[in-house]
Amino acid sequence: MIKVTIGNNVKRKTEILDPETTLREALEEAEIDYTSGIMNLDGSTLSPGDLDKTFADFGITEKCYLLNVVKADNA
């Protein structure tokens, strides 16, 4: 099991997940909208298709941060 901090600009929560869980499943379970903003796993930007990979595919064995960061213009 791995400890995953999942969130966005507004909220974050910690989940204990199986390493075979996909990133998309984790985000949907945590009710995080991943359709806007930039997805990051431990500070690295994710590429298209990465959401359907498991944490194990990325070599995550203990803990990580899965965050959606929305950048906005300061008008």
Side-chain angles (χ1 to χ4, degrees):
M1 302 307 273
I2 55 175
K3 180 180 174 182
V4 183
T5 302
I6 303 173
N8 56 26
N9 294 25
V10 179
K11 69 177 183 174
R12 291 184 186 179
K13 64 185 191 175
T14 301
E15 301 276 342
I16 303 298
L17 301 171
D18 185 291
E20 294 302 319
T21 304
T22 67
L23 304 185
R24 186 182 312 274
E25 289 170 340
L27 289 162
E28 288 174 350
E29 184 177 314
E31 298 180 353
I32 300 296
D33 179 13
Y34 53 84
T35 60
S36 61
I38 299 170
M39 288 301 310
N40 293 284
L41 178 63
D42 277 349
S44 296
T45 303
L46 296 173
S47 300
D50 284 348
L51 291 182
D52 293 317
K53 294 180 182 177
T54 66
F55 290 97
D57 291 338
F58 288 100
I60 305 296
T61 58
E62 292 182 29
K63 63 181 179 176
C64 67
Y65 286 84
L66 180 60
L67 303 172
N68 181 289
V69 180
V70 177
K71 305 261 180 175
D73 287 340
N74 293 332

